[in-house]
Amino acid sequence: MTLLRVENVGQAHNEIEILKGINLSLERGEVFALIGPTGSGKTTLMKLIDLLTKPSLGQIYFDEVDVTDVESDRLAARRRMSLVQQKPIVFSMNVYDNVAIGLKWRGIARDLTKGKVEYVLDLVGMADYAHRDAKTLSGGETQRVALARALVVEPELLLLDEPTANLDPNSVSKIEEVIEHVIKKHKISVFMTTHDMVQGQRLSDTVGVLIAGEMLQMGTPEQIFSAPLNKEVAEFVGIDNILAGMIEKKDGELADVRVASGIISAISHYEVGDDVYALIRPEDITLSLAKDHGSARNLFSGKIFKITMLGSLVHIEVDCGFPLFVVATARSALDMGLVVDTQVFISFKATAIKVIKRWV
Amino acid sequence: MSEIWDGLVKAFQLICTFDTTVMSIAGKSLWISAASCLIATAICVPLGSVIHFNNFKGKRLLISTVQTLWSMPTVAVGLLVFLLVSHSGPLGILELIFKPGAIIFGQVILISPLILGLVISALNGVDKLIPETAVSLGASRLQKAILTIREARYAIVAALIMGFGRAISEVGLSIMVGGNIARYTRTIPTAIALETQRGNIELSIALGIILILIALVINISLHMLQRKRV
């Protein structure tokens, strides 16, 4: 059953379009993660969904009621959802009163409020802080109070705007733990924005990619991260190898894609002559010093031209007629004696390549 | 020099012995100014909230006008109130002239722009995320406004103290519409003006010290509030 429906929503400010033609729906119990780069309009969309601002265009339905304009309907809907902001703010009162205030505004009796507040404070691990001045809390503690404040009203829709941004790892894990608990136990719908792809993948049923105010792709985490529909999404979800090319030959679904001076074998439904991008995740590429490609259809020799250390991993860039990024562990790179100018062999399977249309 | 010294000594004697004239004038001054301040607060806090929370044409001009009225001369307000409440004035039927009510009425007019302007500034000083968070937590417009006022409470109380300070120290208005009647409409500033003319220097000094003490208490309160805000 659909809880939230956003239809053709646009938002403009000073004649600058911040959001364009956004359509999405959220079922009861569904977790939707909105990902996108900074400035893509995620928070603007979040505020529209939380009914804090009105859209320039389009309609928003909550539980099948149009809540785009009428203030009384908007307040009624707003009281069935709650938002945790990226940089939450607490009121100048103690932690207990901060958490209880939403219930007070809804006219909930004091004795009932007490039980609910104590339960959520315990849930977020802040039971011992009930009488502390909320203004004296650390960033992680403030975020947990904000989460408690949002959960205590038992929302049907929980909105989380980058809930773990700028927090220390301990606070991140505590907040994620609470969110996972709430999602599983209370089956509430969640709409969250995040820049943390792993978090988005792990917590959500559906992922939407918002870039420059447009929802470029929506789907399951698997679809988004393994089969992006276009170059922008591919780049954003961390597919480092995006090779522009053209289908040169086809044999059934197997296609030869000309990429610079090389030809890559890939699975594609596009036709000969079509301009495409071949997307290859670095972790799907095997790098070796000997010419052994096993079952992989694609084998290239090349020379390492750049090595970047990334903690326990190494980012290796190889020139094999076209540039390819490969990821290896620091340990294996050391064992193999990989340095700039080392001659290596690169192999990857045809099925590891996602071919998407390139509009020229 | 000895006149000032003698005056100071006698003044302290008057204060320490709770001289009935001194205490009566001080008490009258305090309650008239407190009443003015309370009435002005009752008007300015809701009015300031309405101005702050609503966007309308001419809002900036209105705020500028209010701020301009901060420096209204007390005698000008006195003249206005006199014309309004004198027996032939439009509010003559209220029979306020030369009564404490007339002074209170005048002081409300005098300090309202100050309190109103400072209340609007206080509300402007509240983090914009406070009302937004309140709305997202399901607050109605009134609940949002009450919370924002609560968040600005220290700055609002500071505004009230400033208003009280202006009311208790004004002289021109009280003389013009109160008439400086002993035990009735005589306030500290009007008494100082009168007793100095009469040569009762020690009484004037005693009242002056009380006025300075009140100013000191106001100043300390403001500092404490400002520290609390930080």
Side-chain angles (χ1 to χ4, degrees):
Chain A
M1 196 177 161
T2 304
L3 181 65
L4 174 79
R5 199 150 44 89
V6 172
E7 277 187 9
N8 203 28
V9 158
Q11 184 73 310
H13 185 66
N14 290 338
E15 293 180 14
I16 298 167
E17 272 192 301
I18 301 164
L19 292 173
K20 298 162 211 164
I22 304 292
N23 288 289
L24 64 88
S25 66
L26 190 68
E27 301 298 309
R28 282 185 184 275
E30 186 183 352
V31 180
F32 188 111
L34 183 69
I35 59 172
T38 305
S40 58
K42 298 192 296 296
T43 300
T44 303
L45 181 55
M46 184 65 95
K47 285 185 176 178
L48 285 172
I49 290 174
D50 195 33
L51 310 175
L52 292 174
T53 49
K54 290 183 181 180
S56 312
L57 283 170
Q59 255 71 42
I60 298 172
Y61 296 88
F62 187 81
D63 206 6
E64 299 305 331
V65 175
D66 186 347
V67 289
T68 317
D69 274 318
V70 181
E71 197 44 52
S72 56
D73 291 340
R74 288 169 69 83
L75 177 63
R78 214 184 285 122
R79 285 185 169 177
R80 293 168 64 188
M81 54 174 97
S82 54
L83 165 71
V84 178
Q85 284 159 325
Q86 187 179 349
K87 286 181 189 160
I89 198 148
V90 284
F91 307 131
S92 306
M93 47 183 86
N94 68 27
V95 169
Y96 181 95
D97 289 337
N98 260 280
V99 176
I101 201 159
L103 295 171
K104 187 180 161 191
W105 284 335
R106 285 163 176 80
I108 307 293
R110 272 192 185 182
D111 51 342
L112 202 58
T113 296
K114 190 169 183 286
K116 285 173 187 279
V117 173
E118 283 169 356
Y119 170 74
V120 289
L121 282 178
D122 192 42
L123 187 68
V124 299
M126 294 290 288
D128 294 337
Y129 293 71
H131 301 293
R132 269 266 296 270
D133 179 354
K135 292 276 185 192
T136 63
L137 300 175
S138 70
E141 290 163 350
T142 301
Q143 189 64 285
R144 281 194 268 165
V145 169
L147 187 56
R149 197 168 55 185
L151 293 175
V152 77
V153 296
E154 295 169 12
E156 289 166 63
L157 172 59
L158 177 64
L159 303 164
L160 304 166
D161 188 10
E162 303 263 12
T164 56
N166 313 316
L167 293 184
D168 61 278
N170 280 343
S171 298
V172 170
S173 64
K174 181 68 200 172
I175 284 177
E176 285 189 352
E177 189 188 305
V178 174
I179 294 170
E180 281 193 90
H181 170 84
V182 169
I183 290 169
K184 281 181 190 154
K185 192 178 172 196
H186 299 282
K187 305 255 181 249
I188 60 174
S189 306
V190 177
F191 184 89
M192 65 190 292
T193 63
T194 181
H195 65 280
D196 183 343
M197 309 264 184
V198 180
Q199 189 179 62
Q201 256 177 309
R202 200 178 62 250
L203 296 176
S204 63
D205 304 308
T206 309
V207 174
V209 185
L210 188 73
I211 295 177
E214 286 185 86
M215 193 72 85
L216 294 186
Q217 190 174 352
M218 275 194 292
T220 62
E222 176 66 20
Q223 286 168 337
I224 299 291
F225 291 96
S226 305
L229 287 178
N230 54 48
K231 184 171 175 262
E232 289 79 10
V233 175
E235 276 174 343
F236 183 72
V237 298
I239 298 180
D240 291 317
N241 296 301
I242 302 173
L243 307 168
M246 189 183 80
I247 308 269
E248 196 166 88
K249 198 173 131 194
K250 276 208 81 176
D251 181 9
E253 282 207 313
L254 192 65
D256 283 352
V257 183
R258 171 156 296 279
V259 176
S261 59
I263 289 179
I264 292 173
S265 292
I267 305 297
S268 170
H269 61 271
Y270 293 110
E271 298 302 322
V272 173
D274 282 351
D275 292 308
V276 293
Y277 284 114
L279 313 176
I280 316 162
R281 285 197 165 273
E283 55 269 30
D284 289 332
I285 298 173
T286 306
L287 181 148
S288 59
L289 294 171
K291 191 178 182 178
D292 175 20
H293 58 82
S295 61
R297 280 189 169 271
N298 296 288
L299 176 71
F300 300 93
S301 70
K303 200 185 265 184
I304 294 174
F305 66 92
K306 193 175 175 188
I307 295 179
T308 311
M309 295 295 293
L310 297 164
S312 61
L313 296 175
V314 181
H315 211 163
I316 303 163
E317 293 175 52
V318 182
D319 179 8
C320 28
F322 49 88
L324 273 181
F325 290 90
V326 185
V327 174
T329 63
R331 180 81 203 174
S332 60
L334 188 70
D335 290 346
M336 290 168 75
L338 299 180
V339 290
V340 170
D341 287 338
T342 302
Q343 193 71 37
V344 292
F345 289 93
I346 296 288
S347 61
F348 47 89
K349 292 182 174 180
T351 49
I353 305 165
K354 167 77 180 164
V355 177
I356 59 171
K357 182 81 177 160
R358 178 164 61 100
W359 302 99
V360 284
Chain B
M1 189 69 191
S2 67
E3 192 184 38
I4 298 172
W5 179 250
D6 290 347
L8 272 170
V9 172
K10 281 183 186 168
F12 275 106
Q13 281 172 352
L14 287 171
I15 293 169
C16 294
T17 57
F18 296 100
D19 176 79
T20 49
T21 310
V22 172
M23 292 303 130
S24 155
I25 294 169
K28 186 74 71 182
S29 247
L30 280 171
W31 93 253
I32 285 178
S33 300
S36 312
C37 211
L38 278 175
I39 294 168
T41 302
I43 296 166
C44 295
V45 173
L47 185 60
S49 305
V50 169
I51 294 170
H52 172 75
F53 287 110
N54 291 286
N55 287 320
F56 52 88
K57 211 174 169 184
K59 180 175 175 174
R60 292 182 76 167
L61 180 70
L62 175 68
I63 293 170
S64 298
T65 309
V66 167
Q67 286 169 344
T68 306
L69 294 174
W70 289 3
S71 52
M72 255 191 315
T74 56
V75 284
V77 179
L79 178 62
L80 173 73
V81 175
F82 184 86
L83 293 173
L84 286 173
V85 302
S86 64
H87 294 301
S88 55
L91 300 177
I93 195 165
L94 297 174
E95 296 189 344
L96 283 175
I97 194 72
F98 303 133
K99 287 180 181 170
I103 306 177
I104 293 170
F105 181 45
Q107 286 186 352
V108 168
I109 293 175
L110 183 73
I111 65 174
S112 285
L114 180 67
I115 296 178
L116 182 61
L118 291 175
V119 164
I120 294 169
S121 293
L123 294 172
N124 269 329
V126 174
D127 191 326
K128 298 286 173 281
L129 282 174
I130 293 278
E132 187 179 292
T133 303
V135 172
S136 86
L137 287 169
S140 64
R141 280 168 69 93
L142 181 64
Q143 287 164 336
K144 176 185 77 172
I146 291 169
L147 180 82
T148 310
I149 291 168
R150 192 182 185 282
E151 290 291 317
R153 61 191 180 276
Y154 298 126
I156 290 174
V157 172
L160 308 188
I161 292 172
M162 294 277 279
F164 181 79
R166 177 134 163 86
I168 202 161
S169 59
E170 68 77 25
V171 56
L173 163 81
S174 298
I175 288 179
M176 287 176 79
V177 299
N180 203 7
I181 303 165
R183 293 188 195 84
Y184 191 50
T185 57
R186 185 161 298 167
T187 62
I188 296 176
T190 60
I192 291 174
L194 181 74
E195 299 302 335
T196 306
Q197 279 178 346
R198 281 179 175 172
N200 269 338
I201 299 299
E202 63 275 19
L203 183 57
S204 295
I205 294 176
L207 292 169
I209 288 169
I210 290 173
L211 202 56
I212 289 167
L213 283 175
I214 291 169
L216 195 68
V217 169
I218 287 170
N219 225 327
I220 290 168
S221 312
L222 272 173
H223 275 288
M224 285 172 70
L225 278 171
Q226 259 142 24
R227 276 178 61 192
K228 213 161 183 180
R229 281 177 77 192
V230 176

